[in-house]
């Protein structure tokens, strides 16, 4: 008698199709429409061939044919959806105008909440970033459909634009990077003009979110900042310090409003419906409306879309009387969303959300079963949830931040009880505040207390020693962490077999938890238990553990220096110059002795430059050169000064921006660091390293006595006031150009030519992060062997292809911190070489 085919507990048949669809979507997001259409034709042909083969061999189909058919169908669906998107982008006018750098006027709807951005030069939040879904674009005498989204960088007036409003704006279009969701970037030349209000539903959402901010105004600082983020994903009040603490402890998901928040809200609604004894149809309708409303409230970000789509699949399953399994539902959702928006494949939020969901579905129960005999069922389940999510997401998180959050699991455990009341009460406060402000305030206070607890947990764990362990970044670092995690899981899962291979006899049965003798130790005393263990010990057991201990020590001794090194860096002992990866800024160190150095600029705000010096073992800076006072060159000063001696500081004579120059000088004065204003021709010797100021804009004004810079704004002249420094070591000669613009570079070139002789050098730190403004004559005069470009993620287009081509054209090997990370220059056997560049 035939019996129905048994279905495994975990149905993974859709998983290969989802993974293949993800890979294809990632590729096509940066491809041209012609190539994608050709791929779609090929996939359709393969699908037809497989379908014909299945029909011919349907009585005895080849093994795996059905799976191949399913994978091909998923790939074809994504290719067709992606081709449609790319054709629409191609027909729009934004891409062509951006390629020309044209000045345009655009009309579009705001699809991202405006966010203030810190200006790397002034240090103030005087720039706003948002995104428009273009309707039309007009430029070069042509009006055309937009063709997609455009990222906008505007002045503070953009902060007042409502989400969902239609606006008209003017500015310059810049080309977007390949694979970006936005078709171009718009640098707005003025404020936007609202041409249409948001849709009624979005107006309601905007009111709700604004009134939540009002209701939470009276809360303590951390509660006031975090509550809107926990409830509706509004992170506008979270400062950099709290944001860093959340990242360090793996708690950023509390403000991401992804699957966890969605599950909390839907669970609360479902429980209320159950208490009201509502029939199935009513419960489905109410839950569906709540899900739709919640998506609008928090805005349809990738992780929210994934959670909402999962909820829809679940509701359909309930309606049909066949509740869907979580893994095939997740796989189906991934395929559908990638068809609708292939750029989700490149969204870290979407990747992390999907990975965390898959890990929770597949790993929570097995991990909890393993832990239960040791710590009990309840604690085991509570620990399994953050543990599985963290293990799954850690390799992807390394791509965002090359480090490991050491205390992420315990921090999530301690913070978890507060997330439910913070979310539920925060959403209730949001809904109540517009029509009953006092009620909104009353609900906001307990929600704020729960949010304060989450912030307190983040700050406490982030302040512990070793809270953030550096790890190599990039694909190699992520792959290494994934393999290490997999090996650790296999070791833990098969530890009895591993123990047997090592000759260790396990005296207790599988699944029994703590051994009997250990339990006896709790009751009878540690001494008796250890005596019992010693009596059962054998020479083979002792030898095995000695081997394991020696191997562990060898691994730590060999691997630890690499583990604690910043991403992409392997600085050798004989380094001459190290270029610190400080993001969008400058930070360069010249070695002047053991534990000593000369540093040129300290990067933007943060501890990147300080950590770089720590890793190099720099305890004293014989000379600290601050080429000018823009925030991307002086912002990291506190971390550099912390715990280090500084012999003296050399600064430019123009204190622009005045506010930043003032606090820099105050910080140096508070620590007793002598400050000198750079003058052309000034120089000195530090051990076997000599330095000379080639050029320095600005001067000590009347009344300053030459002791400090003039504190004044200079209408953009701060860049050309940069100190240009020449450093000569026994191994190489280096020139650092600060942020010199065209005029400053041309003046320096004239100075070098007037001196006569060979002005060529070994290394040049390229001016202004590789901006478009570069002097071809200065590049030819310096004729470096190596050109260093220090840059990070930015909206200014740094480094430009023109700058890279210019220095490559004079024979220089161009090294970029945004590609290499932190790297060092060494000289061996008379040859200049680079060490630690992860880009090769």
């Amino acid at each position: 008698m035939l019996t129905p085919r048994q279905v495994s507990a975990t149905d993974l048949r859709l998983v290969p199709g989802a993974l293949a669809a993800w890979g294809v979507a990632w590729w096509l997001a940066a491809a041209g429409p012609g190539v994608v259409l050709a791929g779609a034709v090929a996939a359709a042909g393969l699908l037809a061939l497989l379908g014909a083969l299945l029909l011919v061999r349907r009585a005895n189909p080849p093994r795996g044919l059905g799976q191949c058919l399913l994978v091909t169908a998923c790939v074809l669906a994504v290719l067709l959806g992606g081709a449609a998107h790319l054709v629409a982008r191609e027909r729009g006018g934004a891409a062509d105008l951006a390629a020309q750098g044209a000045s345009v006027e655009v009309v579009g709807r705001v699809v991202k909440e405006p966010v203030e951005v810190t200006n790397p030069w002034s240090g103030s939040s005087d720039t706003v970033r948002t995104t428009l879904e273009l309707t039309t674009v007009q430029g070069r005498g042509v009006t055309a459909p937009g063709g997609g989204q455009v990222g906008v960088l505007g002045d503070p007036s953009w902060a007042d634009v409502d989400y969902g409003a239609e606006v008209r704006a003017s500015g310059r279009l810049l080309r977007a990077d390949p694979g970006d969701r936005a078709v171009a970037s718009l640098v707005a030349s003025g404020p936007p003009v609202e041409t249409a209000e948001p849709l009624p539903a979005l107006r309601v959402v905007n009111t709700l979110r604004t009134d939540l901010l009002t209701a939470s105004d009276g809360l303590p600082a951390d509660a006031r900042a975090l509550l809107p983020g926990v409830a509706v994903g509004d992170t506008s009040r979270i400062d950099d310090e709290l944001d860093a603490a959340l990242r360090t402890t793996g708690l950023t998901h509390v403000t991401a409003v992804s699957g966890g928040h969605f599950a909390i809200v839907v669970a609360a609604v479902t429980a209320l419906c159950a208490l009201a004894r509502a029939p199935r149809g009513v419960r489905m309708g109410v839950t569906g409306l709540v899900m739709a409303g919640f998506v609008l409230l928090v805005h349809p970000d990738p992780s929210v879309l994934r959670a909402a789509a999962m909820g829809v699949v679940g509701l359909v399953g309930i309606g049909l009387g066949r509740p869907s399994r979580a893994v095939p539902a997740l796989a189906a959702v991934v395929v559908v969303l990638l068809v609708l928006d292939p750029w989700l494949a490149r969204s870290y939020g979407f990747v992390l959300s999907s990975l965390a969901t898959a890990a929770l579905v597949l790993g929570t129960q097995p991990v909890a079963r393993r832990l239960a005999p040791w710590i009990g069922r309840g604690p085991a389940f509570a620990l399994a949830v953050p543990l599985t999510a963290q293990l799954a997401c850690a390799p992807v998180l390394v791509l965002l931040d090359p480090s490991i959050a050491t205390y992420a699991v315990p921090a999530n455990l301690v913070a978890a009880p507060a997330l439910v009341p913070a979310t539920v009460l925060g959403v209730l406060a949001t809904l109540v505040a517009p029509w009953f402000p006092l009620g909104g305030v009353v609900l906001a206070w307990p929600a704020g207390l729960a949010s304060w607890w989450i912030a307190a947990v983040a700050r406490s764990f982030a302040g512990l020693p070793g809270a953030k362990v550096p790890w190599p970044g990039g694909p190699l670092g992520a792959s290494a962490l994934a393999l290490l995690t997999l090996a650790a899981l296999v070791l833990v899962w098969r530890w009895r077999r591993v123990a047997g291979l090592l000759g260790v006899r396990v005296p207790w049965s599988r699944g029994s938890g703590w051994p009997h003798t250990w339990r006896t130790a709790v009751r009878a005393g540690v001494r008796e238990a250890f005596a019992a263990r010693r009596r059962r010990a054998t020479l083979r057991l002792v030898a095995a553990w000695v081997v394991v201990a020696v191997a562990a020590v060898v691994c730590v001794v060999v691997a630890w220096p690499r583990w604690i090194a910043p991403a992409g860096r392997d600085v050798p002992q004989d380094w001459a110059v190290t270029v610190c990866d400080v993001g969008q800024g400058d930070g360069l160190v010249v070695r002047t002795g053991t534990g000593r150095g000369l540093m040129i600029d300290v990067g933007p705000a943060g501890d990147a430059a300080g950590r770089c010096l720590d890793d190099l073992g720099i305890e004293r800076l014989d000379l600290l050169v601050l080429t000018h006072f823009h925030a991307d060159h002086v912002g990291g000063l506190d971390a550099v000064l912390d715990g280090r001696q500084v012999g003296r500081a050399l600064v430019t004579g123009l204190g622009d921006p005045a506010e930043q120059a003032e606090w820099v000088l105050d910080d140096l004065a508070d620590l007793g660091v002598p400050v000198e204003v750079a003058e052309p021709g000034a120089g000195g010797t530090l051990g076997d390293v000599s330095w000379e100021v080639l050029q320095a804009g600005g001067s000590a004004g009347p009344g300053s006595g030459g002791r400090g810079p003039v504190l004044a704004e200079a209408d953009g002249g701060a860049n050309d006031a940069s100190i240009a420094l020449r450093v000569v070591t026994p191994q190489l000669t280096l020139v650092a150009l600060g942020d010199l613009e065209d005029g400053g570079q041309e003046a320096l070139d004239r100075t070098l030519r007037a001196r006569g002789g060979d002005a060529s050098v070994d290394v040049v730190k390229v001016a202004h992060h590789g901006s478009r403004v570069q002097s071809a004559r200065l590049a030819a005069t310096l004729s470096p062997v190596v050109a260093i470009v220090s840059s990070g993620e930015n909206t200014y287009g740094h480094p430009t292809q023109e700058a890279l081509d210019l220095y490559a054209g004079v024979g220089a090997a161009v090294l970029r911190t945004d590609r290499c990370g932190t790297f060092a220059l060494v000289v061996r056997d008379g040859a200049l070489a680079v060490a630690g560049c992860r880009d090769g």
Side-chain angles (χ1 to χ4, degrees):
M1 182 175 66
L2 294 176
T3 58
R5 178 180 293 180
Q6 297 296 316
V7 180
S8 62
T10 304
D11 186 352
L12 302 177
R13 287 173 295 180
L14 264 177
V15 172
L19 293 176
W22 203 311
V24 169
W26 191 92
W27 163 76
L28 72 81
V35 178
V36 176
L37 283 171
V41 171
L46 178 60
L47 185 65
L49 180 63
L50 293 174
L53 182 60
L54 183 62
L55 288 175
V56 172
R57 300 282 301 275
R58 58 184 175 184
N60 186 25
R63 186 180 180 85
L65 179 60
Q67 186 67 64
C68 291
L69 198 65
L70 182 60
V71 170
T72 306
C74 293
V75 168
L76 177 59
V78 172
L79 285 170
L80 291 174
H85 285 288
L86 292 173
V87 168
R89 284 164 65 103
E90 190 86 359
R91 288 178 177 174
D96 289 340
L97 290 170
Q100 304 170 45
S103 295
V104 299
E105 182 178 84
V106 301
V107 177
R109 285 200 176 270
V110 179
V111 293
K112 285 261 181 92
E113 285 283 355
V115 177
E116 291 185 348
V117 180
T118 301
N119 188 309
W121 297 330
S122 68
S124 60
S125 299
D126 55 5
T127 307
V128 174
R129 180 185 290 130
T130 187
T131 302
L132 298 181
E133 184 71 43
L134 289 182
T135 304
T136 60
V137 58
Q138 182 178 356
R140 302 288 169 94
V142 176
T143 300
Q149 293 183 355
V150 61
V152 178
L153 204 64
D155 60 36
S157 64
W158 282 83
D160 299 326
V161 176
D162 289 331
Y163 177 87
E166 185 183 79
V167 298
R168 177 185 292 109
S170 299
R172 185 182 177 193
L173 271 186
L174 301 178
R175 186 183 302 171
D177 292 333
D180 274 4
R181 180 67 179 87
V183 68
S185 296
L186 176 71
V187 181
S189 58
V193 177
E194 185 171 313
T195 57
E197 292 184 340
L199 298 174
L202 292 181
R203 287 205 298 271
V204 172
V205 166
N206 292 338
T207 301
L208 290 172
R209 292 170 67 99
T210 301
D211 287 349
L212 174 62
L213 295 176
T214 303
S216 58
D217 272 339
L219 298 176
D222 278 353
R224 177 178 177 273
L226 199 56
L227 175 58
V230 174
V232 297
D234 184 349
T235 59
S236 59
R237 287 178 170 176
I238 297 179
D239 58 35
D240 292 340
E241 186 179 350
L242 179 56
D243 182 62
L246 292 171
R247 292 180 183 277
T248 301
T249 54
L251 285 168
T252 52
H253 65 88
V254 302
T255 61
V257 190
S258 59
H261 296 74
F262 213 94
I264 290 171
V265 172
V266 172
V269 173
T270 302
L272 290 175
C273 290
L275 286 175
R277 299 178 180 272
R280 177 188 295 180
V282 173
R283 278 184 284 178
M284 285 184 57
V286 171
T287 306
L289 287 174
V290 169
M291 285 196 295
F294 192 59
V295 168
L296 283 177
L297 182 62
V298 301
H299 298 162
D301 289 331
S303 57
V304 177
L305 288 174
R306 192 271 314 156
M310 283 284 290
V312 170
V313 172
L315 279 178
V316 172
I318 293 172
L320 297 175
R322 300 173 60 186
S324 59
R325 296 181 186 275
V327 173
L330 175 61
V333 163
V334 166
V335 174
V336 171
L337 291 180
L338 291 175
V339 170
L340 297 176
D341 186 359
W343 285 273
L344 289 177
R346 292 176 175 246
S347 165
Y348 280 106
F350 188 70
V351 174
L352 290 170
S353 178
S354 301
L355 273 179
T357 301
L360 293 175
V361 169
L362 295 173
T364 300
Q365 290 298 336
V367 171
R369 282 197 299 270
R370 286 281 180 172
L371 294 174
W374 304 89
I375 60 177
R377 290 184 179 180
F381 186 80
L383 178 60
V385 171
L387 180 60
T388 53
Q390 184 65 22
L391 290 176
C393 295
V396 177
L397 292 172
V398 163
L399 296 174
L400 289 168
D401 182 8
S403 63
I404 298 175
T406 313
Y407 304 121
V409 173
N412 274 273
L413 270 176
V414 178
L419 185 56
V420 173
T423 303
V424 174
L425 294 175
V427 173
L428 288 175
T430 304
L431 299 176
V432 169
W435 58 273
F436 185 22
L438 180 59
V441 172
V442 170
L443 289 168
W445 271 93
L449 178 62
S451 301
W452 171 86
W453 173 255
I454 296 172
V457 169
R459 291 187 185 276
S460 299
F461 278 94
L464 294 177
K468 197 174 183 181
V469 179
W471 185 269
L476 288 179
S479 301
L481 183 57
L483 291 174
L484 183 64
T485 302
L486 183 61
L489 288 174
V490 171
L491 185 64
V492 170
W493 230 255
R494 300 295 182 185
W495 64 272
R496 290 173 60 85
R497 181 174 298 178
V498 174
L501 293 174
L502 294 175
V504 178
R505 183 170 60 86
V506 180
W508 61 91
S509 62
R510 179 177 179 179
S512 62
W514 300 103
H516 179 71
T517 54
W518 292 12
R519 301 185 188 192
T520 302
V522 177
R523 296 190 297 266
V526 176
R527 183 177 299 175
E528 291 184 12
F530 273 97
R533 300 291 295 178
R534 282 196 299 271
R535 285 194 297 272
R536 294 209 306 273
T538 63
L539 182 60
R540 186 174 62 175
L541 177 64
V542 173
W545 280 110
V546 168
V547 170
V548 172
V550 171
V553 170
V554 170
C555 287
V556 170
V557 170
V558 173
W560 184 249
R562 295 180 65 87
W563 288 347
I564 64 175
R569 186 179 70 82
D570 186 13
V571 176
Q573 294 296 321
D574 58 343
W575 66 274
V577 175
T578 293
V579 185
C580 300
D581 181 11
V582 295
Q584 179 64 12
D586 278 3
L588 183 147
V589 188
V590 179
R591 182 175 182 171
T592 58
T594 303
R596 306 163 77 99
L598 178 160
M599 189 167 198
I600 304 173
D601 290 328
V602 295
D607 63 351
R611 283 190 288 108
C612 181
L613 293 177
D614 291 340
D615 294 322
L616 293 172
I618 299 295
E619 298 175 351
R620 174 182 172 83
L621 291 175
D622 294 318
L623 178 65
L624 173 61
V625 180
L626 301 175
T627 60
H628 60 298
F629 292 104
H630 280 160
D632 55 335
H633 293 256
V634 301
L637 182 62
D638 289 342
V640 166
L641 296 178
D642 186 21
R644 247 175 295 276
Q645 296 180 336
V646 179
R648 57 176 163 165
L650 190 69
V651 301
T652 180
L654 180 63
D656 175 30
E659 183 179 351
Q660 283 181 194
E662 192 169 4
W663 73 254
V664 167
L665 297 174
D666 286 345
D667 279 4
L668 294 171
D670 290 343
L671 293 176
V673 177
V675 178
E676 299 177 10
V677 174
E679 294 288 347
T685 302
L686 306 170
D688 56 2
V689 174
S690 63
W691 59 274
E692 177 191 4
V693 177
L694 298 176
Q695 183 170 295
S699 61
S704 68
R707 294 187 298 272
V710 176
L711 301 180
E713 303 295 334
D715 295 329
N719 284 345
D720 268 340
S722 294
I723 299 172
L725 196 74
R726 179 186 177 95
V727 181
V728 180
T729 78
Q731 300 92 358
L732 55 82
T733 303
L734 174 147
V735 167
L737 300 177
D739 274 2
L740 290 178
E741 300 287 355
D742 193 38
Q745 293 179 52
E746 291 293 341
L748 178 59
D749 180 62
R750 290 193 295 271
T751 299
L752 293 175
R753 291 177 183 272
R755 293 170 61 159
D758 184 10
S760 63
V761 297
D762 298 301
V763 183
V764 165
K765 200 292 295 181
V766 176
H768 205 178
H769 320 294
S771 73
R772 193 185 308 273
V773 180
Q774 301 291 332
S775 168
R777 288 201 292 183
L778 178 61
T781 299
L782 295 173
S783 188
V785 177
V786 172
I788 295 168
V789 179
S790 184
S791 65
E793 182 179 353
N794 65 89
T795 58
Y796 308 103
H798 299 163
T800 61
Q801 196 60 48
E802 292 93 330
L804 301 177
D805 292 343
L806 172 63
Y807 277 92
V810 298
V814 181
L815 301 175
R816 304 164 48 177
T817 56
D818 62 336
R819 295 280 183 85
C820 290
T822 295
F823 63 89
L825 299 177
V826 297
V827 178
R828 295 173 181 168
D829 299 327
L832 182 61
V834 60
C837 179
R838 64 172 177 247
D839 196 42

